[in-house]
Amino acid sequence: MQELEVTFGRAAQVWWAFTWRATLYALLSSAIIGVVVGLICAVLGFDSQRLLPFNLLLGAAVGILASIWVISKILNKKFSSFRVALIQD
């Protein structure tokens, strides 16, 4: 396995692969969870404003989990002339 130099172009490819996937998956999963939580609040008669801190923490947790999932996908992705690998030091 040949180690390649980290260039701006390669770094940009990895960054873009992460950014669009993390944004898309975090938005979609947060929207779905937000609808479910909103429906539960409406059915049970909870005041959604009182649950705002909980909703913010839930959204942050979903975003973090989505980002970790995206990183695992990028570690298995083949780019045009390279792939990202974990190598034991």
Side-chain angles (χ1 to χ4, degrees), residues 17-31 33 57-75:
F18 171 78
T19 300
W20 80 261
R21 285 173 177 85
T23 301
L24 178 68
Y25 296 135
L27 286 175
L28 288 176
S29 57
S30 293
I33 291 172
L57 287 174
L58 183 62
V62 167
I64 290 168
L65 291 174
S67 295
I68 293 170
W69 185 77
V70 168
I71 289 289
S72 71
K73 294 301 172 194
I74 289 173
L75 288 172

Side-chain angles (χ1 to χ4, degrees), residues 17 21-22 25 32 34 36 39 41 43 50 54-55 58 63 72-74 82 84:
R21 285 173 177 85
Y25 296 135
I32 292 168
V36 170
L39 288 173
C41 287
V43 168
R50 294 188 70 200
F54 169 76
N55 290 339
L58 183 62
S72 71
K73 294 301 172 194
I74 289 173
F82 68 95
V84 179

